[in-house]
Amino acid sequence: QKEVEQDPGPLSVPEGAIVSLNCTYSNSAFQYFMWYRQYSRKGPELLMYTYSSGNKEDGRFTAQVDKSSKYISLFIRDSQPSDSATYLCAMSAATGNQFYFGTGTSLTVIP
Amino acid sequence: EAGVTQFPSHSVIEKGQTVTLRCDPISGHDNLYWYRRVMGKEIKFLLHFVKESKQDESGMPNNRFLAERTGGTYSTLKVQPAELEDSGVYFCASSQRTGGSDTQYFGPGTRLTVL
């Protein structure tokens, strides 16, 4: 079983839509949860970072963590064509530095 | 501030040859990580340096891979001899602090193709 599961998509939405991206995980030791955005032929760029359970909002982006369900989400409001990219979830344990990634979800926002 | 840089951006070699990848972390970042993404799979951890010391190399696939970070600055990852299954994108990341809470900044990756 993979440490982190993420639906690869692809996901295609019209401009202005609300996008929901999700990951599930199996390791209860994970405490830190990240969302990265990766454009084609570029490296992953950190979007959101959360510790333990709860919500975090940054502009049009909201990250949610539900540790009891081992489930994390990223919501994108008022999606824009520039949001078209692959979104990767990543997580790590409190005492470790190794990041565990999902396979990424490919998102296309259609103008 | 310059980000993490990697060289080359793309390398094509034949099976059995040697390739060396280089990573320059963000200035002042003591922690340097190597990850690899094989096509269709998730990004996977290879190893972690703190300054010049290997903190965790549990993800290194086998002894054909050798990572170094002399002087605690840039790092190299050598694959010798390369095999077909080594093809993929090799990412380097760096962070300031040790611990799960620290942000890792990724480079653009080196795309390695072994023919």
Side-chain angles (χ1 to χ4, degrees):
Chain A
Q1 184 186 7
K2 286 184 182 179
E3 299 269 8
V4 181
E5 297 280 356
Q6 182 175 9
D7 186 343
L11 189 59
S12 184
V13 301
E15 183 175 354
I18 296 174
V19 177
S20 173
L21 304 167
N22 311 293
C23 287
T24 59
Y25 63 95
S26 56
N27 190 341
S28 58
F30 289 149
Q31 297 280 349
Y32 301 92
F33 304 91
M34 284 68 65
W35 285 96
Y36 283 83
R37 177 175 62 194
Q38 186 177 19
Y39 292 112
S40 181
R41 305 285 174 160
K42 301 288 186 182
E45 169 197 11
L46 182 68
L47 265 183
M48 299 287 285
Y49 164 86
T50 50
Y51 168 70
S52 195
S53 284
N55 294 358
K56 184 174 183 178
E57 188 174 320
D58 183 2
R60 296 185 294 110
F61 299 90
T62 299
Q64 287 186 351
V65 175
D66 182 349
K67 289 189 67 181
S68 63
S69 301
K70 295 189 177 69
Y71 187 89
I72 70 171
S73 301
L74 177 71
F75 297 96
I76 307 174
R77 290 183 299 280
D78 187 25
S79 56
Q80 302 295 309
S82 58
D83 295 329
S84 299
T86 295
Y87 290 79
L88 302 153
C89 63
M91 43 201 82
S92 68
T95 56
N97 291 283
Q98 180 179 154
F99 277 18
Y100 293 85
F101 282 86
T103 50
T105 300
S106 175
L107 171 67
T108 301
V109 180
I110 302 167
Chain B
E1 178 184 275
V4 177
T5 57
Q6 293 186 246
F7 182 83
S9 58
H10 195 176
S11 180
V12 180
I13 61 172
E14 292 191 351
K15 176 182 171 180
Q17 289 186 322
T18 298
V19 63
T20 300
L21 314 180
R22 172 170 170 146
C23 169
D24 286 77
I26 293 171
S27 178
H29 282 193
D30 286 340
N31 295 277
L32 187 149
Y33 312 81
W34 284 98
Y35 291 84
R36 176 174 73 172
R37 182 169 194 162
V38 172
M39 187 178 292
K41 303 283 189 178
E42 69 274 20
I43 296 173
K44 280 196 169 180
F45 170 83
L46 295 178
L47 89 159
H48 169 213
F49 284 100
V50 177
K51 296 186 180 178
E52 66 274 8
S53 300
K54 291 176 186 173
Q55 182 80 6
D56 180 358
E57 51 184 329
S58 61
M60 294 288 264
N62 52 60
N63 60 10
R64 294 186 293 103
F65 289 75
L66 174 64
E68 294 181 324
R69 192 182 182 196
T70 307
T73 55
Y74 71 92
S75 174
T76 57
L77 180 64
K78 180 190 288 188
V79 185
Q80 180 181 29
E83 298 288 344
L84 299 179
E85 64 265 25
D86 301 333
S87 295
V89 182
Y90 289 76
F91 291 104
C92 175
S94 71
S95 70
Q96 278 189 311
R97 295 185 303 275
T98 300
S101 61
D102 199 15
T103 300
Q104 294 185 20
Y105 297 91
F106 281 76
T110 293
R111 185 173 298 272
L112 174 64
T113 303
V114 182
L115 302 176

